[in-house]
Amino acid sequence: MFQAHIIGTGSSAPKRILSNIELEAIVDTSDDWITRRSGIKTRHIASKNEKESTTDLAAQASLKAMEMAGIQSEALDMIVTGTVTPDRQFPSAGCMIQEALKANNAAAFDLSAGCSGFLYALSIANHAIQIGSCKTALVVGVERLSSIVNWEDRSTCVLMADGAGAVVVTSKSESGGILSSHMKSDGSYWDLLYSSYGNSRTPEILQDVDIKPFFMSMEGNRLFKKAIRCLSSIAIEAMEKNNLTSQDIRLVVPHQANIRIIEGLASSLDIPMEKVYTNIHKYGNTSSASIPIALDEANREGLLKMGDNVLLVSFGAGLTWASTLIRWSI
Ligand code: UT7
């Protein structure tokens, strides 16, 4: 068996920063409500006048990760992308990213697991590396949620945002790197967070009408209650699998959906907030991009040292939830 090691991280966000104050002019909301209920102050929103499509953002993040890893695109033999907002229904975002990077030797595909998309993708790459079917993989989490939120629905449009993060993972014989990955789903709660129409569910009557059919619906309050329980149980599962306790964790990098969910998770794990990375105040909820963006920022800020135990943990639409434990080796 081989070990999968992260050797580079990168991230990218659109130029336009939208503040809570600006949102007050768009929907019936307030800076105070958004800050208190979610922890978000600003978010990045893509513009069609810039090179900020899902593919563009993903390629920018990937190039930074590849630069840190010191590898050329030909070295990639797999591109796994977690996203619910590819540029097109098909081909996959993965293939579009492959073309942007000229990563001609890679097998490229997408994975839809809501906000757990990145950790699911990382898990697939990890297992492919462990069994020797892949040497070096690019794992991407990218979203352009601004394209699918209803800008008249204050319960979602103030939370969701755009961005991309990526890591390069490679096979090494040394121990460390990705120690374990866990994934869970519960489709019986699909209706807590979903896209109203799209694909085979688009009513025929709408198919010829010029409207935006991919609106997001969310029952935030019910999701909130599930989130802390699911995140906490899968984080504990990861630590137990590796015979580690909360004290052994150097940094938790959770999905950034709500600061109160993150604080609830930290408290349930008995981990102080100083050991939990948060950037939700700047980025909002970028779904599958949130963990790789946060991981890249933590890495570039020098918060991660060789040998540190880093716990990544996510929760989102599906429902899906996941955790990955890493012994940092950059
Ligand atoms: O990314 C992965 C999955 N996502 C999550 O896990 C998100 C989980 N949920 C949450 O983060 C929180 O539930 C929210 C931030 C979405 C909402 O916070 P909450 O404390 O659960 O508020 P609520 O939904 O219970 O709404 C409270 C009130 C309601 O008014 P009434 O019925 O009490 O009069 C809402 O209509 O806040 C109202 N409200 C707003 N007010 C101002 C809802 N959205 C807004 C808004 N501005 N943007």
Side-chain angles (χ1 to χ4, degrees), residues 45-326:
I45 299 294
S47 155
K48 57 175 184 282
N49 301 323
E50 304 284 343
K51 280 186 70 67
E52 293 177 340
S53 67
T54 288
T55 306
D56 295 327
L57 294 170
Q60 289 154 19
S62 301
L63 285 171
K64 290 180 193 164
M66 286 158 56
E67 189 185 1
M68 183 184 291
I71 63 145
Q72 303 295 317
S73 31
E74 302 81 54
L76 296 175
D77 38 28
M78 185 183 273
I79 300 174
V80 199
T81 304
T83 188
V84 296
T85 47
D87 289 341
R88 297 177 175 78
Q89 185 188 356
F90 65 88
S92 66
C95 285
M96 302 299 287
I97 297 164
Q98 171 180 36
E99 162 59 10
L101 300 176
K102 304 287 178 220
N104 302 328
N105 299 318
F109 57 97
D110 294 356
L111 197 151
S112 170
C115 302
S116 301
F118 175 75
L119 290 194
Y120 268 56
L122 188 57
S123 176
I124 299 299
N126 177 35
H127 292 129
I129 287 172
Q130 281 183 334
I131 60 169
S133 68
C134 166
K135 165 111 179 61
T136 303
L138 176 70
V139 181
V140 183
V142 58
E143 302 294 356
R144 232 186 94 141
L145 297 176
S146 62
S147 312
I148 61 162
V149 292
N150 177 353
W151 284 93
E152 291 174 4
D153 174 11
R154 67 178 183 171
S155 69
T156 52
C157 76
V158 305
L159 306 171
M160 307 300 171
D162 306 333
V167 297
V168 176
V169 194
T170 201
S171 168
K172 289 189 184 181
S173 49
E174 294 104 281
S175 61
I178 298 178
L179 302 181
S180 67
S181 51
H182 291 87
M183 298 182 280
K184 294 241 180 339
S185 320
D186 185 350
S188 65
Y189 290 96
W190 69 269
D191 55 345
L192 296 190
L193 180 53
Y194 63 96
S195 145
S196 339
Y197 303 125
N199 307 337
S200 69
R201 281 277 170 185
T202 304
E204 259 173 55
I205 195 167
L206 293 183
Q207 281 172 1
D208 296 326
V209 180
D210 184 22
I211 63 159
K212 192 177 265 188
F214 297 99
F215 283 161
M216 176 189 294
S217 289
M218 182 169 86
E219 256 192 75
N221 204 277
R222 285 183 61 208
L223 264 185
F224 190 101
K225 289 173 191 140
K226 295 286 300 175
I228 299 178
R229 255 177 285 150
C230 292
L231 286 164
S232 167
S233 70
I234 207 152
I236 290 167
E237 205 171 331
M239 290 189 284
E240 285 179 354
K241 166 88 179 164
N242 295 289
N243 295 317
L244 298 174
T245 67
S246 314
Q247 276 87 44
D248 300 315
I249 303 299
R250 170 67 193 87
L251 196 70
V252 181
V253 182
H255 169 48
Q256 312 279 316
N258 187 312
I259 194 67
R260 293 182 294 139
I261 292 176
I262 297 173
E263 286 166 354
L265 169 69
S267 149
S268 76
L269 298 179
D270 203 16
I271 291 184
M273 278 303 283
E274 302 82 75
K275 285 182 162 187
V276 181
Y277 193 83
T278 61
N279 59 10
I280 187 167
H281 55 288
K282 293 191 288 181
Y283 291 99
N285 183 346
T286 58
S287 187
S288 64
S290 89
I291 290 180
I293 293 175
L295 187 65
D296 180 50
E297 290 202 334
N299 185 26
R300 286 175 195 266
E301 286 167 22
L303 299 180
L304 303 173
K305 300 276 178 288
M306 186 89 87
D308 281 348
N309 293 315
V310 185
L311 176 60
L312 314 182
V313 58
S314 68
F315 169 82
L319 301 178
T320 58
W321 58 109
S323 62
T324 303
L325 230 162
I326 302 168

